[in-house]
């Protein structure tokens, strides 16, 4: 798999590697620090809105062949009072020319294939964009516990 090439190219029910090849060392390191609950903020129709999301790697670190058999994590997005939206996370090789992107990730949304969530993580902070067909909305946030 070439750098920058999408491993999945879209949402999958099971984020297993399948025919996409084994998890790279960079992906293993990236997945180690990703799981958790995050809180972000963005503008929706000009008004501030809250985005909560949780990332989990089923079977991770429990002796179930992780990460060799899992190339992505499951994500649940909660936007304001709307219904939860499931997604699939994959690691994206960093763009070394971009500012503040040491650990970039892409989330494919299950019900909205034209939209995806891109974010980076460093320590307990995330930042990124929600890509929409009609433009881009920026958000920033941190691990949920830091807002308590």
């Amino acid at each position: 798999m070439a750098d920058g090439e999408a491993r999945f190219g879209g949402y999958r029910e099971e984020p297993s590697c399948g025919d996409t090849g084994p998890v790279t060392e960079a992906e293993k390191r990236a997945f180690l620090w990703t799981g958790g609950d995050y809180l972000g903020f963005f503008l929706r129709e000009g008004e501030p809105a809250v985005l909560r999301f949780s990332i989990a790697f089923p079977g991770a670190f429990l002796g179930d062949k992780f990460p060799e058999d899992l190339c992505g994590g499951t994500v649940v997005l909660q936007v304001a009072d709307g219904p939860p939206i499931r997604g699939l996370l994959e690691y994206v090789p960093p763009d070394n020319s971009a500012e503040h992107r040491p650990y970039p990730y892409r989330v494919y949304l299950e019900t909205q294939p034209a939209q995806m969530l891109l974010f980076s993580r460093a320590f307990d902070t995330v930042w990124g964009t929600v890509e929409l067909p009609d433009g881009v909305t920026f958000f920033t946030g941190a691990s949920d516990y830091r807002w308590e």
Side-chain angles (χ1 to χ4, degrees), residues 52-69:
R52 291 182 180 274
F53 60 102
S54 59
I55 300 172
F57 286 92
F61 317 114
L62 299 178
D64 294 334
K65 297 183 184 176
F66 179 84
E68 287 78 13
D69 62 341

Side-chain angles (χ1 to χ4, degrees), residues 91-102:
Y91 174 69
V92 181
D95 176 356
N96 293 326
S97 66
E99 184 179 7
H100 303 310
R101 289 199 58 188

